Amino acid sequence: EDQVTQSPEALRLQEGESSSLNCSYTVSGLRGLFWYRQDPGKGPEFLFTLYSAGEEKEKERLKATLTKKESFLHITAPKPEDSATYLCAVQPYTGGFKTIFGAGTRLFVKA
Amino acid sequence: GAVVSQHPSRVICKSGTSVKIECRSLDFQATTMFWYRQFPKQSLMLMATSNEGSKATYEQGVEKDKFLINHASLTLSTLTVTSAHPEDSSFYICSARVSTENTEAFFGQGTRLTVV
């Protein structure tokens, strides 16, 4: 069964304290892995797509990496405005572009 | 990135009435749109996949007669919650894929439905 598990559930950081969020996945065949940011009461905002193991993508203070079993979202020197829920999702080759989401990691960055 | 607009952002309705939620792709044509439901502090649960001009594909356990989905054009999909009850209160979110080549989907702002 295709599955996505994110850890930790919640993460509290001081401003400037770098850390990583984990996304472990099992999928029959990976078409793509996605990271989204979601603010309270809003729809998810697209961040990255990763397609194959070893791939990395960066955007400002965020860097996403991918292995055959997991993905990491590294946050370097976070700021309070980075506080949000970060969602990881996988899209298997089968299922017509359906996407399976993890429960998310709620990130709190304190000034 | 591509822009998806969802309307309304909030709606309160009486039990037994129907509510329609619109999802529009503003600057692209969306061959496929998805409808999700999200409970507090939980992840997105896919309700159905809709392709323009064809019937929606519903996930197991989702009542197709209760959640009517219409994808009449390449830029508009609608979700109608029929005979709404308090247990239908939730956050509903749509997403749309840009083309048959790209895999990622872009999300609307979500609709908070409260049934009283």
Side-chain angles (χ1 to χ4, degrees):
Chain A
E1 183 186 346
D2 301 325
Q3 201 169 352
V4 179
T5 303
Q6 290 188 248
S7 62
E9 282 188 23
L11 180 62
R12 297 181 184 274
L13 300 174
Q14 287 292 128
E15 184 172 4
E17 180 186 0
S18 300
S19 188
S20 295
L21 282 54
N22 177 264
C23 171
S24 297
Y25 67 91
T26 53
V27 65
S28 48
L30 183 68
R31 191 199 302 266
L33 182 143
F34 313 104
W35 283 97
Y36 288 88
R37 169 191 170 132
Q38 186 176 24
D39 292 301
K42 301 284 179 63
E45 174 190 343
F46 171 74
L47 293 174
F48 304 108
T49 305
L50 300 167
Y51 294 102
S52 57
E55 191 175 358
E56 297 182 355
K57 286 195 176 169
E58 284 188 69
K59 179 181 178 180
E60 296 180 355
R61 295 179 291 283
L62 300 176
K63 180 170 132 181
T65 61
L66 180 66
T67 72
K68 288 186 178 180
K69 293 184 178 181
E70 55 191 353
S71 177
F72 291 93
L73 184 65
H74 307 276
I75 302 178
T76 302
K79 298 182 178 181
E81 53 262 42
D82 295 323
S83 297
T85 295
Y86 290 86
L87 299 170
C88 172
V90 297
Q91 190 175 93
Y93 276 111
T94 57
F97 295 98
K98 268 196 311 189
T99 305
I100 299 147
F101 281 82
T105 293
R106 284 177 290 137
L107 175 66
F108 305 92
V109 182
K110 188 175 178 182
Chain B
V3 180
V4 177
S5 177
Q6 190 173 337
H7 179 80
S9 58
R10 289 179 179 272
V11 58
I12 300 173
C13 71
K14 291 185 177 180
S15 192
T17 62
S18 295
V19 173
K20 181 184 281 189
I21 302 169
E22 290 189 351
C23 180
R24 292 181 184 273
S25 55
L26 296 187
D27 52 359
F28 66 98
Q29 293 185 327
T31 51
T32 307
M33 289 187 173
F34 304 90
W35 287 94
Y36 293 86
R37 186 171 178 176
Q38 188 176 32
F39 294 100
K41 297 184 180 179
Q42 292 188 28
S43 191
L44 282 72
M45 182 191 80
L46 180 65
M47 298 174 66
T49 302
S50 74
N51 292 293
E52 185 265 339
S54 61
K55 288 184 178 180
T57 303
Y58 289 82
E59 294 300 298
Q60 196 171 7
V62 178
E63 298 177 59
K64 60 180 67 176
D65 294 331
K66 174 134 190 92
F67 299 100
L68 300 179
I69 291 171
N70 185 292
H71 193 159
S73 76
L74 284 171
T75 60
L76 174 64
S77 176
T78 60
L79 167 68
T80 302
V81 183
T82 63
S83 187
H85 291 284
E87 57 264 31
D88 298 324
S89 299
S90 190
F91 192 55
Y92 293 88
I93 317 175
C94 72
S95 72
R97 284 185 55 242
V98 177
S99 72
T100 55
E101 294 178 358
N102 291 350
T103 54
E104 62 266 15
F106 295 88
F107 284 83
Q109 307 95 314
T111 297
R112 170 72 58 194
L113 170 63
T114 304
V115 185
V116 298

